[in-house]
Each structure stands twice: as C-alpha cells, then as structure tokens.
Amino acid sequence: MLPLLLALSAPAADPAPKPDCPTWNHYFNCKGSCAGTGLYPFEKQPRVCLVEVCPCDTASGDSGAKKCDVWVKEFSAAAFIEYPRFTLDGERVPGNGLIIYEGMQLVVDPDSGKYDLTFNATVPDMPANLRLQLVFSNGKERYTLTLPPMRLEPKRDAKAGDPTAWTFNVAHRGYSTLFVKEANRKIVYRAHEGNAPTVITQNWELTRVGTARFGTPIAVEDPNR
C-alpha cells in the first residue's frame, strides 16, 4: 500500500505594500518614494465627436456654474489643409482637403493655467491625423504650444452626400505654466537666470500652424449608381 501524502500549502503572503505616492508632488515635499503626477501639458487625448443632426430640444441654462475670469481668442477665418494630388507630369491637382471652420476658440483660465480649444472640422473621404501648434507673440517674445495629434476618422457606413459622416466637433483641454498669472504661480520658471517669468495674456497675438496626414480613401456606396 502506498502511503497517502498530503501537501499542506503555506498561507499566501500579503502583497507588498504599495508606495505612498501622492497625486501631486508639490515641491517634492512628500513622504512617498516616488514622484506624483505633475501638471502635464495634457492628460487626455482630444475628444473628437461626429456632428449629429439636431434633436430639436431646448437646453436649460446652468445657473450654478462657477464664474471664471477667462480670456478668449477666436479665429474668425477658416483654415484649409490641402490633400496633395498630382498629375503624371507632377502638376498639382486642386481638390478637397481638411477644413477648420470659422469660430475656432481658445479659452484660457489664468487662475489655473488650463485652457480649452474647440473647433469644427471636415475631412475629405478619408481619415486624417491633424497636428496643430498655437503660436503666441508679443513683438519681442515668441512661444509655441504644441497640441497632441487629433485623428478624424469618418464612419465606415458613410453614405454619399451625408455631411455628418465627415464633420467633427473637436475639444481639447490642456495646461501651460505660461498662462498662469504671476499672483497664482507656485513654481517660478526662468528660461535664463535673472529673467522674469513670462505670462501670456490676451494681449498677445495668436496664430496657428497645422499639418495633416491623410489615410486611405473610404469607399462610399452610392445607392443612385
């Protein structure tokens, strides 16, 4: 008869305790063993939503919203990024491209340094990766704010002549130390020793620079064919 062997499992050891990491490592004065999440230029990708048909409802106002001392920059002109097409001889062929409509807005909160960028855009019959930079200038200084890539991808079930398949609302929230007014700054940034920290205000001139990479055209089924 073979002896019956019973294997007794040892109690599972407690998992290693997680380091006490704060969410914001201010001035590195924390008890944790690792750095916390700082004020990054952006923490989430831009929100890109297809423009839908209005449902014919009425929106109620938010009377309890906090009033912010913000400043707004608006682009009154549209922007166009051409989709490059050429003939066999190398001549450029005019065609559709990516359109950013009039009314693109930058809203800045100088108390926190956060900003919101919103605009509407239409792409040709293909996806497009949009890259934008906002350029601020006051005549003496010039700073560039680089935004994350924004992918505008039409619906695969798009129908011919349906504008909602190619038009998007884009909204992006970010942060920049240069937007924080001096009275609210906790960390003084100096590009060179002895220079006062720069604060970008509504008095600065704002321009935009952008490029787009276009993907494979989407085949749209035309029921009239």
Side-chain angles (χ1 to χ4, degrees):
M1 176 181 290
L2 297 177
L4 179 63
L5 301 179
L6 298 179
L8 300 179
S9 60
D14 293 335
K18 296 182 179 180
D20 182 17
C21 298
T23 56
W24 168 231
N25 187 8
H26 185 59
Y27 288 116
F28 300 96
N29 292 330
C30 66
K31 299 179 181 179
S33 58
C34 62
T37 55
L39 292 176
Y40 295 116
F42 57 90
E43 297 181 354
K44 298 180 179 179
Q45 292 293 331
R47 186 189 71 224
V48 180
C49 303
L50 282 166
V51 173
E52 298 181 355
V53 178
C54 178
C56 299
D57 58 359
T58 57
S60 59
D62 186 4
S63 58
K66 178 184 176 182
K67 184 178 180 180
C68 299
D69 183 20
V70 301
W71 51 268
V72 180
K73 290 284 189 178
E74 180 173 317
F75 292 91
S76 58
F80 179 74
I81 302 178
E82 182 182 0
Y83 172 55
R85 300 175 62 189
F86 301 90
T87 64
L88 294 177
D89 297 332
E91 297 183 1
R92 185 177 293 271
V93 177
N96 295 331
L98 188 150
I99 301 174
I100 298 178
Y101 292 93
E102 298 86 349
M104 176 179 179
Q105 277 194 348
L106 174 70
V107 181
V108 176
D109 178 14
D111 289 330
S112 64
K114 295 182 180 179
Y115 65 89
D116 284 340
L117 180 73
T118 56
F119 61 91
N120 280 18
T122 294
V123 298
D125 300 349
M126 64 189 71
N129 286 339
L130 175 64
R131 293 179 178 269
L132 285 177
Q133 287 184 319
L134 302 180
V135 183
F136 299 87
S137 175
N138 64 355
K140 297 180 181 179
E141 299 173 285
R142 184 176 182 272
Y143 290 94
T144 300
L145 182 63
T146 302
L147 305 176
M150 306 171 192
R151 180 169 177 81
L152 310 179
E153 185 168 0
K155 297 187 297 185
R156 289 290 175 178
D157 58 349
K159 302 298 182 182
D162 181 9
T164 63
W166 322 101
T167 305
F168 301 86
N169 295 129
V170 181
H172 171 64
R173 171 165 292 183
Y175 164 84
S176 175
T177 306
L178 299 178
F179 290 145
V180 182
K181 58 186 179 183
E182 293 189 32
N184 288 13
R185 286 194 172 183
K186 298 178 180 179
I187 300 177
V188 178
Y189 169 78
R190 287 181 171 85
H192 302 285
E193 192 65 29
N195 289 352
T198 298
V199 178
I200 295 177
T201 68
Q202 66 269 25
N203 297 325
W204 287 51
E205 180 183 356
L206 174 61
T207 56
R208 56 190 171 182
V209 179
T211 60
R213 174 174 291 182
F214 299 92
T216 303
I218 295 178
V220 178
E221 181 180 352
D222 190 349
N224 298 322
R225 290 181 179 177

